[in-house]
Amino acid sequence: MDFERIRHIFQEILSGEVFTREKVRGQYLLMLLIFVLFGFYINAGYHAQRQQRRLAELNRQIEEAHYEYLTVSAQLVEQTRQSVISRRLEENGSKVRISDKTAVLIDQ
């Protein structure tokens, strides 16, 4: 191809003359379908990105809740130790004491 022919093709494309030819006119519906599908493709990409961001946020919240659970669980274990309960009972002046005797299980 010579330079003049390439220049002519580019002029037709840029000016829009290529879309007035009979071959191209019959393909308008196909081009419309391609553009619509391209739009759906772009929308699906954005939707996937939103879902990934939401998933990352939910994973962060789950991790945060897990650490909070571990903290609360450790505090509960600390507060329910026998020594802590005994000390609190003594501080409050309670007459309840821990038995020195072991429990005996009687079978029927």
Side-chain angles (χ1 to χ4, degrees):
M1 284 187 140
D2 61 351
F3 178 73
E4 201 53 43
R5 175 82 176 128
I6 294 173
R7 189 171 138 276
H8 180 69
I9 291 172
F10 275 119
Q11 280 180 338
E12 283 184 347
I13 291 173
L14 292 176
S15 68
E17 285 180 37
V18 73
F19 295 114
T20 60
R21 293 189 185 157
E22 288 299 319
K23 287 182 182 178
V24 176
R25 260 194 253 166
Q27 304 299 324
Y28 279 140
L29 290 178
L30 177 63
M31 287 190 290
L32 179 65
L33 176 66
I34 290 171
F35 286 131
V36 168
L37 291 176
F38 190 65
F40 281 130
Y41 179 75
I42 291 172
N43 185 37
Y46 284 127
H47 181 70
Q49 284 180 344
R50 284 191 302 269
Q51 292 295 86
Q52 285 179 338
R53 283 194 301 268
R54 178 161 164 69
L55 183 63
E57 175 63 23
L58 290 175
N59 282 333
R60 187 191 62 75
Q61 288 177 2
I62 287 172
E63 188 175 343
E64 197 174 286
H66 178 71
Y67 288 134
E68 185 176 346
Y69 158 76
L70 291 176
T71 303
V72 170
S73 177
Q75 290 172 349
L76 180 63
V77 167
E78 175 63 31
Q79 291 175 1
T80 57
R81 286 193 179 162
Q82 184 177 353
S83 60
V84 173
I85 293 173
S86 297
R87 183 174 39 93
R88 284 187 184 163
L89 287 173
E90 288 176 10
E91 288 173 358
N92 291 335
S94 176
K95 296 180 182 179
V96 177
R97 294 188 190 146
I98 298 172
S99 175
D100 294 338
K101 299 178 184 175
T102 59
V104 178
L105 181 64
I106 302 174
D107 289 328
Q108 292 181 346

